[in-house]
Amino acid sequence: MNSMTDWTNFQLVEVLWKAISTEYSTRNSPLRTPTVATVGAKHPHIRTMVLREIHPYHLIFFTDRRSQKCIDITVNPNTSVHCYLPSGQQQIQMYGTMSMSIPLTSPSSIGKRLMKNALRRPQDYATFEPPGLEVSTLDSIHYDHSLAEHNFVPLVFDVSEIHLLTLGSPHQRCKWQRNLETNLWSKQWLVP
């Protein structure tokens, strides 16, 4: 990424999203592995996830359907995604909802392509036990590759708000918010 990019200066959300997409396509970009937070029963759950694809106002991740994040989003789909780009001292925070399926408006070929990509590493989804279960030793983890296709699920993050903070002299901060009824975005400056 060009460290001189002023993310807070964009005036059209389409231009901002193009910059986010360009950053995502940059090799070794921190945006490829953002921090994703879901709402748990006692406290938020955060983890680093691999961002698999980016589409207009949607981010796609892969996971095991038995994971804690799936339990969390079934109860409360509100999710946030955070990334810090050290080269430009810029923070991107996105807020929205996460679902465990490709939107119905998408062709079924997208779901098949995502599954094919995910199952290049079937062991990631092939344990008998759900992710996060305590075990006595690593040798006690059992795999069955026939489970992988059933356990795999894409997570689709529908972005409704984007906060941008550029550290510098002076700091600059703004947010973009989507009206869910009209699907139009508006920009608002914030005190850094």
Side-chain angles (χ1 to χ4, degrees):
M1 174 189 165
N2 180 352
S3 62
M4 300 307 289
T5 300
D6 181 0
W7 292 74
T8 59
N9 196 38
F10 293 121
Q11 299 305 309
L12 297 172
V13 73
E14 296 84 4
V15 178
L16 169 63
W17 196 261
K18 184 175 181 182
I20 290 172
S21 299
T22 300
E23 173 63 30
Y24 165 73
S25 65
T26 303
R27 185 177 170 88
N28 298 322
S29 168
L31 189 56
R32 289 179 168 265
T33 52
T35 301
V36 177
T38 54
V39 181
K42 293 195 311 188
H43 44 71
H45 293 131
I46 59 172
R47 77 280 290 160
T48 300
M49 293 186 70
V50 176
L51 178 56
R52 303 297 181 164
E53 289 192 9
I54 186 167
H55 298 275
Y57 320 121
H58 291 88
L59 308 178
I60 298 178
F61 302 91
F62 295 166
T63 196
D64 187 311
R65 72 177 62 251
R66 303 167 297 166
S67 67
Q68 182 62 50
K69 66 185 85 62
C70 289
I71 295 167
D72 290 349
I73 66 174
T74 298
V75 175
N76 184 344
N78 294 319
T79 304
S80 59
V81 173
H82 173 270
C83 181
Y84 180 69
L85 307 171
S87 64
Q89 294 185 307
Q90 295 156 334
Q91 174 179 267
I92 301 172
Q93 294 171 296
M94 298 183 203
Y95 301 92
T97 56
M98 189 82 83
S99 63
M100 291 184 284
S101 64
I102 301 299
L104 295 176
T105 56
S106 298
S108 62
S109 61
I110 291 177
K112 290 177 184 175
R113 179 177 46 76
L114 292 175
M115 182 176 286
K116 181 180 176 185
N117 289 342
L119 296 182
R120 289 180 183 160
R121 292 177 41 99
Q123 67 275 13
D124 293 349
Y125 312 98
T127 58
F128 282 125
E129 300 82 11
L133 186 73
E134 293 181 5
V135 293
S136 55
T137 67
L138 292 178
D139 293 337
S140 62
I141 300 172
H142 302 287
Y143 296 87
D144 178 350
H145 287 234
S146 68
L147 299 173
E149 188 171 328
H150 172 74
N151 292 336
F152 162 77
V153 66
L155 295 179
V156 180
F157 179 60
D158 184 11
V159 181
S160 59
E161 200 167 310
I162 304 169
H163 288 228
L164 303 165
L165 172 63
T166 299
L167 302 175
S169 185
H171 297 344
Q172 293 183 14
R173 185 175 179 184
C174 68
K175 73 175 177 180
W176 284 89
Q177 197 162 16
R178 181 167 52 130
N179 181 316
L180 299 179
E181 292 178 12
T182 63
N183 211 31
L184 297 175
W185 289 81
S186 61
K187 179 182 180 181
Q188 177 66 55
W189 287 104
L190 303 172
V191 176

PDB file of all heavy atoms in Angstrom, residues 26 50 64 100 102 131 137 157 175:
ATOM      1  N   THR A  26      -3.029  -6.450  -2.271  1.00  0.00           N
ATOM      2  CA  THR A  26      -1.592  -6.252  -2.125  1.00  0.00           C
ATOM      3  C   THR A  26      -0.986  -7.394  -1.310  1.00  0.00           C
ATOM      4  O   THR A  26      -1.470  -7.697  -0.220  1.00  0.00           O
ATOM      5  CB  THR A  26      -1.307  -4.897  -1.420  1.00  0.00           C
ATOM      6  OG1 THR A  26      -1.925  -3.860  -2.174  1.00  0.00           O
ATOM      7  CG2 THR A  26       0.174  -4.641  -1.298  1.00  0.00           C
ATOM      8  N   VAL A  50      -8.294 -15.160   8.227  1.00  0.00           N
ATOM      9  CA  VAL A  50      -7.843 -14.918   6.856  1.00  0.00           C
ATOM     10  C   VAL A  50      -9.046 -14.443   6.047  1.00  0.00           C
ATOM     11  O   VAL A  50     -10.078 -15.120   5.986  1.00  0.00           O
ATOM     12  CB  VAL A  50      -7.241 -16.188   6.227  1.00  0.00           C
ATOM     13  CG1 VAL A  50      -6.868 -15.941   4.773  1.00  0.00           C
ATOM     14  CG2 VAL A  50      -6.035 -16.671   7.029  1.00  0.00           C
ATOM     15  N   ASP A  64     -15.111 -23.401  10.409  1.00  0.00           N
ATOM     16  CA  ASP A  64     -15.792 -24.646  10.746  1.00  0.00           C
ATOM     17  C   ASP A  64     -17.123 -24.256  11.382  1.00  0.00           C
ATOM     18  O   ASP A  64     -17.151 -23.447  12.315  1.00  0.00           O
ATOM     19  CB  ASP A  64     -14.918 -25.439  11.731  1.00  0.00           C
ATOM     20  CG  ASP A  64     -15.459 -26.823  12.025  1.00  0.00           C
ATOM     21  OD1 ASP A  64     -16.671 -26.952  12.336  1.00  0.00           O
ATOM     22  OD2 ASP A  64     -14.661 -27.785  11.986  1.00  0.00           O
ATOM     23  N   MET A 100     -23.801 -17.017   8.040  1.00  0.00           N
ATOM     24  CA  MET A 100     -23.104 -18.253   7.681  1.00  0.00           C
ATOM     25  C   MET A 100     -23.569 -18.796   6.340  1.00  0.00           C
ATOM     26  O   MET A 100     -23.774 -19.991   6.175  1.00  0.00           O
ATOM     27  CB  MET A 100     -23.316 -19.307   8.768  1.00  0.00           C
ATOM     28  CG  MET A 100     -22.613 -18.984  10.048  1.00  0.00           C
ATOM     29  SD  MET A 100     -22.783 -20.282  11.282  1.00  0.00           S
ATOM     30  CE  MET A 100     -24.461 -20.004  11.810  1.00  0.00           C
ATOM     31  N   ILE A 102     -23.796 -17.701   1.801  1.00  0.00           N
ATOM     32  CA  ILE A 102     -23.668 -16.764   0.693  1.00  0.00           C
ATOM     33  C   ILE A 102     -25.066 -16.178   0.469  1.00  0.00           C
ATOM     34  O   ILE A 102     -26.055 -16.901   0.502  1.00  0.00           O
ATOM     35  CB  ILE A 102     -23.174 -17.492  -0.580  1.00  0.00           C
ATOM     36  CG1 ILE A 102     -21.818 -18.155  -0.319  1.00  0.00           C
ATOM     37  CG2 ILE A 102     -23.101 -16.563  -1.755  1.00  0.00           C
ATOM     38  CD1 ILE A 102     -20.721 -17.187   0.060  1.00  0.00           C
ATOM     39  N   PRO A 131     -13.879 -27.349  16.996  1.00  0.00           N
ATOM     40  CA  PRO A 131     -12.726 -26.518  17.328  1.00  0.00           C
ATOM     41  C   PRO A 131     -12.858 -25.934  18.736  1.00  0.00           C
ATOM     42  O   PRO A 131     -13.946 -25.546  19.156  1.00  0.00           O
ATOM     43  CB  PRO A 131     -12.772 -25.396  16.280  1.00  0.00           C
ATOM     44  CG  PRO A 131     -13.592 -25.940  15.168  1.00  0.00           C
ATOM     45  CD  PRO A 131     -14.571 -26.877  15.790  1.00  0.00           C
ATOM     46  N   THR A 137      -3.880 -34.582  24.697  1.00  0.00           N
ATOM     47  CA  THR A 137      -2.646 -34.489  23.908  1.00  0.00           C
ATOM     48  C   THR A 137      -3.009 -34.209  22.456  1.00  0.00           C
ATOM     49  O   THR A 137      -4.150 -34.455  22.025  1.00  0.00           O
ATOM     50  CB  THR A 137      -1.835 -35.798  23.947  1.00  0.00           C
ATOM     51  OG1 THR A 137      -2.579 -36.821  23.267  1.00  0.00           O
ATOM     52  CG2 THR A 137      -1.523 -36.245  25.373  1.00  0.00           C
ATOM     53  N   PHE A 157     -19.548 -11.194   5.891  1.00  0.00           N
ATOM     54  CA  PHE A 157     -19.667  -9.999   6.729  1.00  0.00           C
ATOM     55  C   PHE A 157     -20.235  -8.872   5.885  1.00  0.00           C
ATOM     56  O   PHE A 157     -19.624  -8.446   4.905  1.00  0.00           O
ATOM     57  CB  PHE A 157     -18.290  -9.634   7.284  1.00  0.00           C
ATOM     58  CG  PHE A 157     -18.271  -8.409   8.152  1.00  0.00           C
ATOM     59  CD1 PHE A 157     -19.024  -8.336   9.312  1.00  0.00           C
ATOM     60  CD2 PHE A 157     -17.486  -7.324   7.810  1.00  0.00           C
ATOM     61  CE1 PHE A 157     -18.992  -7.212  10.124  1.00  0.00           C
ATOM     62  CE2 PHE A 157     -17.441  -6.194   8.609  1.00  0.00           C
ATOM     63  CZ  PHE A 157     -18.200  -6.132   9.770  1.00  0.00           C
ATOM     64  N   LYS A 175     -16.076   8.550   9.725  1.00  0.00           N
ATOM     65  CA  LYS A 175     -16.825   7.300   9.571  1.00  0.00           C
ATOM     66  C   LYS A 175     -17.728   7.414   8.356  1.00  0.00           C
ATOM     67  O   LYS A 175     -18.178   8.494   7.983  1.00  0.00           O
ATOM     68  CB  LYS A 175     -17.640   6.964  10.815  1.00  0.00           C
ATOM     69  CG  LYS A 175     -18.859   7.830  11.027  1.00  0.00           C
ATOM     70  CD  LYS A 175     -19.667   7.344  12.219  1.00  0.00           C
ATOM     71  CE  LYS A 175     -20.861   8.263  12.473  1.00  0.00           C
ATOM     72  NZ  LYS A 175     -21.663   7.807  13.613  1.00  0.00           N
TER      73      LYS A 175
END
